[in-house]
Amino acid sequence: MITLATVKTLLNITTTDYDAQLTLLMPMVENDVRRILNNQFNEKVDCTFENGSTTISNIWNLRSKLTNPVEIGRVLEHPSIPEETYITAYDEENGIATISQATTGEGDYVISSINYGMFIPIAKMAGFKLNGMSRQVCDGEIASKTIGPVSVSYVQHVDKRWGYPMDILRDLGTPIQRVG
């Protein structure tokens, strides 16, 4: 979903001091994202692409069937596509998507994952979990938090169901409503 390097960059962590903890926390956070948004972010989409290409052909946006539509900003996954590669342009009429990084091999499918805009709230979720041991929670609200030598006191509403601050959850997006 998101790499350790990206999480560290977004959280402004420049050392390796927290790598082990973040590596352990990231699968938990990714699972939380899937549960909170009621979406697995793993839809297979048929297409074609060549080695070294920045375009994907025959990728059709079947909005009636896809929960994660083919759209600008959508992260695509495949063994021959670098991590965190996303769609930068999409020609829906011709089924051609331009991607942010060149492919490392050829392929006939991609997995439609999260939207690129979700990187920041996901990193914040990881940071919130990372700081979990050094904060005090009073009746669902954070009273204080310490990060290294800095200590801050304030009130931040924490969602009682998911255990994350409400502002992070709002930035993450709206859960998919499923019928049946």
Side-chain angles (χ1 to χ4, degrees):
M1 220 179 239
I2 184 172
T3 64
L4 174 63
T6 299
V7 170
K8 289 175 61 176
T9 298
L10 292 172
L11 294 177
N12 201 25
I13 297 174
T14 57
T15 68
T16 58
D17 295 350
Y18 302 105
D19 285 9
Q21 294 95 325
L22 286 170
T23 300
L24 181 67
L25 289 172
M26 284 315 300
M28 294 177 205
V29 169
E30 290 172 3
N31 184 55
D32 286 347
V33 168
R34 289 179 173 96
R35 286 182 22 242
I36 291 165
L37 295 179
N38 195 23
N39 188 333
Q40 291 302 305
F41 295 106
N42 64 349
E43 290 183 286
K44 183 178 179 181
V45 180
D46 293 327
C47 62
T48 55
F49 57 88
E50 303 295 323
N51 184 21
S53 179
T54 57
T55 60
I56 297 176
S57 303
N58 300 319
I59 185 167
W60 303 103
N61 194 3
L62 308 172
R63 286 190 187 269
S64 61
K65 295 182 182 178
L66 291 177
T67 302
N68 310 316
V70 176
E71 62 187 353
I72 294 173
R74 184 66 58 187
V75 175
L76 301 177
E77 298 175 355
H78 185 277
S80 296
I81 295 179
E83 290 182 301
E84 299 178 350
T85 297
Y86 59 94
I87 297 173
T88 59
Y90 179 56
D91 178 355
E92 190 167 1
E93 285 186 28
N94 297 306
I96 299 172
T98 305
I99 56 176
S100 61
Q101 301 181 70
T103 60
T104 58
E106 59 184 41
D108 60 1
Y109 75 91
V110 292
I111 303 298
S112 178
S113 185
I114 63 172
N115 193 290
Y116 192 73
M118 296 169 75
F119 281 14
I120 292 172
I122 290 171
K124 286 180 180 180
M125 290 170 74
F128 183 77
K129 286 239 184 239
L130 179 66
N131 292 322
M133 299 306 288
S134 63
R135 62 182 163 85
Q136 299 170 349
V137 177
C138 301
D139 193 29
E141 297 180 353
I142 297 175
S144 67
K145 175 169 64 172
T146 303
I147 302 173
V150 178
S151 180
V152 178
S153 296
Y154 59 94
V155 174
Q156 184 176 20
H157 298 283
V158 175
D159 181 87
K160 291 181 182 179
R161 179 175 182 195
W162 302 113
Y164 290 100
M166 293 296 294
D167 59 336
I168 294 175
L169 295 178
R170 276 191 295 274
D171 289 346
L172 190 59
T174 305
I176 292 175
Q177 301 297 317
R178 304 211 189 263
V179 179

